[in-house]
Amino acid sequence: MNKNNKAILFIGFNDFRDFKRGVENVILSQVGAIENRDIYYIYNSKNCFEEYTYEGIKCIGVPGRMLRYVYPSILARKLKNKYKNVFIHSHNPLSSLFLLYKSDCLTVHDGLYYTRKYLRPKISYIFKLLEKLTYKKVKNIHYISNFTRSQMVSTSTKSTLIYNTTPIEKEIKKVKEIKPNKYLSSKGRNFFCVRGIQRRTRIDLLIDLAKENKKNKLEDKIFVAGKGELLEFYQNKIINEKLTEYIELLGFVADDELVNYYKFCDAVIVTAESGEGFGLPIIEGYLFNKPVFCSKVCAMPEVIIDKSYMFQNDGNAIFNCINRYNFNSEYYYSYYINNYSNKVIQEQYKNKIYKR
């Protein structure tokens, strides 16, 4: 028996070394709320079994689809033999379904049925059944927004609402101040957007906004950080429509670069069509005391500071929404600190999930 006698096993998807946003961000914020436990993390490896330690977390990568659903039970069994108390916190609903033990907590970012009915509508009913079965295999459900809860298949399992926070808060002090010229347009206002370049994130709306700015002879520029399958397609579209002075797709942006873009921009824009269970760039904008404008969809209406900062998904509507505002307000940062800071969210994890 281990001298600590306590462990927590996180079941996720991706390697911490390659992914730092989305699910992985939430797991790291939950780790920050845990005291006096050995922490393990199992994820989907690309090629082979691998083990390493990341920020005190013992990480285990497992290859192969079937093995990914079998090995969590093997590891859980090993840990239960080694420790007196093992808390299983899953972020992977299918792994929870096939686990030989009940997960103590399942964090739901977007329900299985909700995501699959858009991606694979013909067989979405299968995922509806799988989601129902999964909830019977967990003791507590943590959902990241009321919108996410509303899209989940109906369940009587005990559930807890805790919003997300951002790891960028810890990165700010580590980043060296860089001359702002690189992060600013030479003339007009600068808008920053962090998005995966996918259909659901509606990058086309930002291109439409760039056209509106050009038509109205505004010298504003939009910087978009993110990668995805449509990156090259939209980059070519921007070049062909002669909009390079008005919008730039940056591709992958490292954390230090990300911090500086947030720091030196005038405002943040978040566009989406579906699949936005929370809206992380919204609170990151507030962390840097910036106004944030976003689509009126998914969970974003419950995260935004005021619904007047929201727009319908139309280039002209975005243009009109943005140009109604004076950008000199100073209360965005306090809104972040009081509602979404690392300290506030981690206290909720401690009291609502781990201590209980």
Side-chain angles (χ1 to χ4, degrees), residues 95-303:
S95 289
S96 287
L97 177 60
F98 293 108
L99 198 64
L100 292 179
Y101 308 93
K102 273 196 170 187
S103 297
D104 294 281
C105 184
L106 170 67
T107 292
V108 178
H109 302 265
D110 286 303
L112 274 176
Y113 175 61
Y114 169 70
T115 53
R116 295 321 193 275
K117 69 183 178 182
Y118 290 105
L119 297 175
R120 304 172 74 179
K122 290 183 179 179
I123 59 170
S124 61
Y125 67 92
I126 295 175
F127 293 98
K128 188 173 187 178
L129 175 61
L130 289 174
E131 187 172 345
K132 282 186 176 181
L133 293 173
T134 297
Y135 295 155
K136 293 181 181 296
K137 290 289 299 291
V138 300
K139 298 177 184 177
N140 182 38
I141 295 172
H142 158 225
Y143 54 99
I144 62 171
S145 66
N146 285 309
F147 171 79
T148 295
R149 180 67 182 87
S150 71
Q151 298 300 318
M152 289 162 54
V153 174
S154 180
T155 173
S156 58
T157 304
K158 195 168 187 177
S159 57
T160 303
L161 168 64
I162 302 176
Y163 288 117
N164 288 344
T165 185
T166 173
I168 295 294
E169 183 181 333
K170 296 189 294 184
E171 297 294 323
I172 294 175
K173 294 179 182 178
K174 302 177 187 177
V175 175
K176 293 181 180 179
E177 181 99 4
I178 299 175
K179 290 182 180 180
N181 295 351
K182 180 180 178 181
Y183 305 95
L184 296 175
S185 171
S186 58
K187 297 174 183 177
R189 298 171 299 182
N190 300 273
F191 297 95
F192 187 47
C193 177
V194 182
R195 298 272 75 191
I197 313 302
Q198 306 161 350
R199 291 190 185 280
R200 71 170 188 84
T201 56
R202 297 301 305 273
I203 304 303
D204 60 299
L205 293 172
L206 299 174
I207 294 175
D208 289 344
L209 174 60
K211 291 178 184 177
E212 289 290 331
N213 289 335
K214 182 178 181 180
K215 184 175 75 174
N216 287 276
K217 298 182 179 180
L218 295 180
E219 296 175 313
D220 298 346
K221 188 165 185 179
I222 308 160
F223 296 90
V224 185
K227 58 184 181 178
E229 65 270 16
L230 294 178
L231 177 60
E232 186 176 349
F233 170 80
Y234 283 125
Q235 285 175 331
N236 290 334
K237 184 178 178 68
I238 289 165
I239 293 169
N240 293 336
E241 299 193 20
K242 298 180 180 180
L243 294 170
T244 53
E245 292 182 22
Y246 301 91
I247 181 169
E248 181 178 351
L249 304 189
L250 304 165
F252 171 78
V253 173
D255 286 348
D256 56 343
E257 296 266 298
L258 199 69
V259 167
N260 280 292
Y261 273 109
Y262 272 124
K263 184 181 293 185
F264 295 117
C265 74
D266 293 291
V268 172
I269 303 176
V270 187
T271 53
E273 185 71 40
S274 64
E276 202 66 43
F278 179 71
L280 186 64
I282 297 176
I283 65 169
E284 289 180 342
Y286 294 150
L287 170 61
F288 290 87
N289 203 35
K290 306 296 180 178
V292 180
F293 303 90
C294 69
S295 296
K296 196 180 292 186
V297 299
C298 301
M300 294 194 283
E302 64 184 281
V303 178

Side-chain angles (χ1 to χ4, degrees), residues 280-337:
L280 186 64
I282 297 176
I283 65 169
E284 289 180 342
Y286 294 150
L287 170 61
F288 290 87
N289 203 35
K290 306 296 180 178
V292 180
F293 303 90
C294 69
S295 296
K296 196 180 292 186
V297 299
C298 301
M300 294 194 283
E302 64 184 281
V303 178
I304 199 81
I305 196 168
D306 188 308
K307 289 183 176 59
S308 63
Y309 288 86
M310 307 194 79
F311 48 76
Q312 300 293 341
N313 280 344
D314 173 80
N316 184 255
I318 302 174
F319 179 85
N320 291 333
C321 180
I322 287 172
N323 286 287
R324 284 201 302 264
Y325 283 89
N326 181 334
F327 288 9
N328 295 324
S329 300
E330 298 179 355
Y331 56 88
Y332 306 110
Y333 176 72
S334 60
Y335 180 71
Y336 170 83
I337 290 297

